[in-house]
Amino acid sequence: MASHRRPRQPNRARVTVLTATATAAVALSAQGANAAPKPSKSEVKAQVDKYYAEAERATNQYDGAKEKQQKLEKEISRLQDKVAREQGELNELRTGLGAMASEQYRSGGIDASVQLFLSADPDDYLDKASTLDSLSEQQVESLKKVQAKQRELAQERAEAAEKLADLAETRTELGKKKTEIQGKLSKAQKLLNTLTTAERRQMAEEEQRASRSATARVELGKEKEVAASGIGAAALNAAATQIGKPYVRGGTGPNSYDCSGLTQWAYAQAGAHISRVTYTQVNEGPHIGMSQLKPGDLVFFNNTEHVGLYAGNGQVLHAPYPGTSVRYESMSTIGSFQFGVRVNG
């Protein structure tokens, strides 16, 4: 006989768990389908190189602002010293006029014109030429000296105030550039962190092989290429003694360098002073093309954001970017070549 019992209803809690599990599975499936694929090692390197180039651009601007700040600080200090001296000289001139007035008083009273001067602005006073007739030649000369000194003092104070305002703007710019640099380097590091330990080790090994190859090519080319000048040869030899020292933003030696810090230091050892940043180092000599390069010439890349020393046989000696050290590298792997500059000292 057929059973007439009602079918058993599924447990409410069990239905809830199954529904939640199914929903989560669908969500994870959708998330996996929509997630961007992990970038390859070559893609990471290309993007990291881009961030380093942007950081180097900001570093050049930072170095330029830093140099400007140091120059302004020296000029302001000089102006402040000059203002203090001139104020002392003005005080002495006024003291002399006071002594003159005292003498007149003891001998029968202060001349009305001198009395007017002591209670009024000398500039306004001397502009009233009619009062000069009642002054002695000595008094006129003293009053003119006071007037000239006051005008000079006012001009120096105005110049100092202008430079102080410029210094404040420069310091603000420095802060912005520092933040920009740190942001670019942070992005580069985050990208590098997406690589496995093995991938990062492989990248480092590839760079080491490339550096050894570049060094070998420099040695092979020494007999074929000679520097255009003794200064260029001396600068290149000096830079070669710094191989292995780390790249540090703002570094000018002797313990660390950024790209233009290395070139400036190297030429200083050769007895030639060149400016601090790439934007001004481009003006240190005539521009030359790739086929004209000689060892020791400055070589500029990436819209003049990066500089190194031509080492011969298509190789460059430079401070590449954070995390690396001074090394030889093929021109073909550094970036877009702009031009060379031959420093004649």
Side-chain angles (χ1 to χ4, degrees), residues 45 48-49 52 56 207 247 306 319-325 327 329:
K45 187 178 186 310
V48 166
D49 288 346
Y52 281 149
E56 188 161 49
E207 287 190 354
Y247 178 105
H306 187 74
Y321 49 79
T324 62
S325 55
R327 69 190 187 196
E329 187 171 350

Side-chain angles (χ1 to χ4, degrees), residues 282-312:
V282 296
N283 300 317
E284 295 294 347
H287 292 191
I288 53 180
M290 188 179 295
S291 62
Q292 300 170 288
L293 290 174
K294 296 289 184 181
D297 289 339
L298 297 176
V299 277
F300 293 87
F301 299 86
N302 304 329
N303 197 27
T304 69
E305 300 292 350
H306 187 74
V307 65
L309 290 156
Y310 183 66

Side-chain angles (χ1 to χ4, degrees), residues 82-235:
K82 189 174 182 182
V83 165
R85 287 195 305 271
E86 289 176 355
Q87 183 64 62
E89 292 170 5
L90 180 59
N91 291 341
E92 288 179 10
L93 288 171
R94 283 174 168 166
T95 298
L97 281 172
M100 188 186 305
S102 296
E103 180 62 29
Q104 285 186 348
Y105 180 78
R106 284 193 294 271
S107 62
I110 302 177
D111 185 282
S113 56
V114 175
Q115 188 174 19
L116 175 61
F117 165 74
L118 292 173
S119 61
D121 180 3
D123 282 345
D124 180 60
Y125 176 71
L126 286 177
D127 288 338
K128 299 174 181 176
S130 60
T131 63
L132 296 178
D133 294 338
S134 60
L135 295 174
S136 68
E137 185 177 344
Q138 182 182 2
Q139 289 170 335
V140 169
E141 188 62 29
S142 295
L143 288 171
K144 285 183 176 180
K145 284 181 179 179
V146 169
Q147 182 188 48
K149 185 59 64 178
Q150 281 192 323
R151 286 174 175 169
E152 186 178 357
L153 186 58
Q155 182 178 349
E156 296 294 344
R157 280 178 170 158
E159 185 179 352
E162 183 179 342
K163 290 188 182 298
L164 281 167
D166 198 2
L167 179 59
E169 291 180 4
T170 301
R171 284 175 172 163
T172 299
E173 182 183 357
L174 276 171
K176 290 179 179 178
K177 290 303 172 188
K178 185 175 182 179
T179 300
E180 182 180 348
I181 294 165
Q182 290 171 338
K184 298 297 183 185
L185 296 181
S186 177
K187 287 181 178 180
Q189 189 58 54
K190 284 180 180 178
L191 264 178
L192 288 172
N193 290 342
T194 65
L195 299 176
T196 65
T197 302
E199 287 173 326
R200 288 198 294 271
R201 184 170 60 249
Q202 187 180 7
M203 282 180 64
E205 289 171 352
E206 288 170 357
E207 287 190 354
Q208 289 170 1
R209 283 196 297 271
S211 182
R212 287 193 296 269
S213 175
T215 302
R217 290 181 65 83
V218 169
E219 292 300 320
L220 286 172
K222 280 185 176 179
E223 294 182 2
K224 300 178 182 177
E225 296 182 72
V226 295
S229 68
I231 290 175

